[in-house]
């Protein structure tokens, strides 16, 4: 079953020491583009987070935001040098602007980098083990959301592939009578030009018809179209990422319809090929949403 590249999931879990929430959003993208936002004390785990995400997803622009709240006290370290630098800067601004109010501790609390959680490595690893569970749960939920959206997309794609198949069938049906139609139109054109008492050389006429019919022969293009359609129908049944391969097939279908248009000597075939190109362009646009 096809999966959409768009989706959203959020999971929040509690332990005795932590409350961890993970929010994941995914949008369309040519490849897998991952952006991660997390607390500084987990920054060393970003590469591992990226690996975990790549185990669940293969395509999409993925944004992951991880928030942590400690439910038990942790040690804090204060950067007194930075605190004094901020204080001196604020005092200088106050004096320059003639502000009467004094600088108080509350003013320094706005600068979070002054206060850092002095978290022990053992605590960080314990937090990371719990965070991995939350991350995996959110990614599982995201995959399910992408599957649900993919089911809706799949129905639209099935209908488009079916229309292209019907158009191809109708082109093949009309093309089977192409030689006779070419002969009929050529004879009518010749009879309009030549005087009534002039007979048409049958051999030369048949040769001309054969040459024109050979240049207008679209049997190979029809067979390739049928092959591409069968391949598309097969991909719709796969439970794996097929978006890039499906996109390639739409390009091939576009090429075959273009060739049929360039060779066509019949208005009915030209109209069908144009309609096929239009449906295929809609299909190509829809495929951009598929993983």
């Amino acid at each position: 079953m096809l999966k959409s590249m768009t989706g959203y999931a959020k999971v929040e879990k509690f332990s005795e020491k932590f409350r961890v929430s993970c929010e994941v959003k995914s949008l369309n993208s040519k490849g897998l583009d991952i952006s991660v936002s997390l607390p500084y004390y987990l920054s060393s785990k970003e590469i591992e987070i990226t690996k975990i995400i790549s185990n669940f997803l293969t395509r999409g622009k993925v944004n992951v935001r991880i928030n942590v709240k400690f439910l038990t006290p942790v040690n804090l370290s204060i950067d007194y040098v930075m605190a004094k630098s901020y204080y001196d800067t604020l005092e200088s601004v106050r004096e320059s602007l003639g502000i009467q109010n004094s600088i108080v501790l509350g003013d320094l609390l706005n600068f979070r980098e002054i206060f850092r959680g002095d978290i022990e490595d053992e605590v960080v690893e314990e937090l990371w083990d719990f965070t991995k569970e939350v991350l995996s749960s959110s990614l599982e939920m995201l995959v399910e959301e992408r599957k649900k959206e993919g089911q809706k997309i799949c129905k639209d794609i099935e209908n488009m592939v079916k229309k292209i198949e019907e158009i191809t069938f109708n082109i093949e049906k009309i093309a089977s009578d192409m030689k006779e139609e070419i002969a009929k139109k050529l004879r009518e054109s010749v009879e309009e030009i030549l005087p009534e008492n002039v007979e048409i050389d049958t051999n030369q006429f048949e040769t001309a018809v054969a040459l024109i019919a050979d240049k207008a022969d679209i049997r190979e293009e029809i067979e390739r179209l049928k092959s591409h359609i069968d391949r598309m129908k097969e991909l719709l049944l796969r439970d794996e990422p097929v978006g890039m391969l499906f996109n390639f097939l739409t390009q091939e279908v576009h090429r075959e319809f273009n060739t049929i248009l360039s060779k066509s000597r019949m208005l009915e075939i030209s109209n069908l090929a144009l309609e096929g190109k239009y449906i295929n362009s809609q299909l190509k646009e829809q495929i951009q949403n598929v993983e």
Side-chain angles (χ1 to χ4, degrees), residues 34-72:
I34 300 173
S35 175
V36 180
S37 174
L38 68 166
Y40 73 90
Y41 40 81
L42 288 176
S43 59
S44 61
K45 307 299 182 181
E46 186 169 349
I47 294 177
E48 291 185 60
I49 291 173
T50 300
K51 289 180 180 179
I52 292 172
I53 295 171
S54 62
N55 289 333
F56 286 86
L57 310 172
T58 58
R59 289 182 71 196
K61 182 177 177 60
V62 183
N63 292 298
V64 177
R65 182 181 295 276
I66 297 174
N67 291 310
V68 176
K69 183 175 182 179
F70 289 89
L71 303 179
T72 56

Side-chain angles (χ1 to χ4, degrees), residues 6 8 23 37 55 57 62 66 74 83 85 87 92 103 125 142 154 167 174 186 196 211 218 225 228 270 279 283:
T6 60
Y8 173 82
E23 184 180 28
S37 174
N55 289 333
L57 310 172
V62 183
I66 297 174
V74 294
S85 297
Y87 177 85
S92 176
I103 304 300
E125 290 304 317
L142 178 69
C154 187
I167 289 169
I174 296 172
L186 184 59
E196 293 183 2
L211 288 172
I218 55 174
L225 273 175
H228 298 328
S270 296
I279 300 298
L283 175 59

Side-chain angles (χ1 to χ4, degrees), residues 73-290:
V74 294
N75 295 325
L76 288 179
S77 61
I78 301 175
D79 191 333
Y80 287 99
V81 174
M82 183 172 289
K84 187 176 187 310
S85 297
Y86 276 119
Y87 177 85
D88 292 342
T89 301
L90 291 173
E91 185 67 22
S92 176
V93 172
R94 186 188 69 79
E95 293 177 355
S96 298
L97 299 179
I99 299 173
Q100 297 301 317
N101 295 338
S102 300
I103 304 300
V104 296
L105 179 61
D107 298 322
L108 295 177
L109 292 177
N110 293 318
F111 304 100
R112 295 184 179 181
E113 57 268 31
I114 295 175
F115 306 94
R116 303 280 287 186
D118 187 13
I119 305 174
E120 297 177 351
D121 291 343
E122 292 80 4
V123 177
V124 172
E125 290 304 317
E126 185 180 353
L127 170 61
W128 170 236
D129 288 339
F130 186 63
T131 301
K132 282 192 291 186
E133 294 180 16
V134 181
L135 174 62
S136 296
S137 295
S138 63
L139 289 170
E140 288 171 358
M141 184 181 294
L142 178 69
V143 169
E144 289 304 312
E145 289 298 315
R146 286 163 55 128
K147 283 182 179 179
K148 291 178 183 177
E149 185 65 25
Q151 289 176 353
K152 300 176 185 176
I153 296 173
C154 187
K155 291 180 180 178
D156 291 337
I157 292 176
E158 284 177 342
N159 290 333
M160 293 177 191
V161 172
K162 185 177 180 181
K163 288 180 181 178
I164 292 174
E165 186 175 32
E166 290 172 355
I167 289 169
T168 303
F169 173 79
N170 290 331
I171 289 176
E172 184 178 31
K173 186 177 179 181
I174 296 172
S176 63
D177 300 325
M178 183 182 296
K179 187 173 181 180
E180 290 76 10
E181 187 66 23
I182 289 174
K184 177 183 176 183
K185 290 183 177 180
L186 184 59
R187 184 177 293 278
E188 290 174 353
S189 298
V190 171
E191 289 177 349
E192 287 179 3
I193 297 171
L194 294 178
E196 293 183 2
N197 58 345
V198 176
E199 292 185 4
I200 300 175
D201 187 307
T202 303
N203 291 332
Q204 290 185 354
F205 180 80
E206 290 295 333
T207 301
V209 170
L211 288 172
I212 296 172
D214 183 62
K215 290 181 179 180
D217 187 5
I218 55 174
R219 285 176 296 181
E220 289 186 10
E221 287 73 21
I222 291 171
E223 289 304 314
R224 284 195 290 267
L225 273 175
K226 289 160 69 175
S227 175
H228 298 328
I229 292 166
D230 288 341
R231 184 69 166 145
M232 287 180 175
K233 291 160 72 175
E234 177 193 341
L235 293 179
L236 285 170
L237 301 176
R238 287 193 185 181
D239 189 20
E240 60 185 75
V242 296
M244 296 183 72
L245 182 53
F246 224 120
N247 185 61
F248 170 76
L249 289 172
T250 60
Q251 296 175 20
E252 294 301 303
V253 169
H254 177 82
R255 182 178 293 111
E256 301 306 335
F257 278 130
N258 267 347
T259 305
I260 289 173
L261 275 169
S262 66
K263 288 185 174 183
S264 176
R265 293 294 186 272
M266 300 175 67
L267 182 60
E268 296 90 338
I269 290 179
S270 296
N271 288 338
L272 285 169
L274 286 171
E275 183 181 357
K277 284 184 62 176
Y278 173 70
I279 300 298
N280 187 65
S281 67
Q282 291 182 315
L283 175 59
K284 185 177 178 64
E285 185 176 344
Q286 188 68 283
I287 287 299
Q288 305 311 310
N289 300 316
V290 175

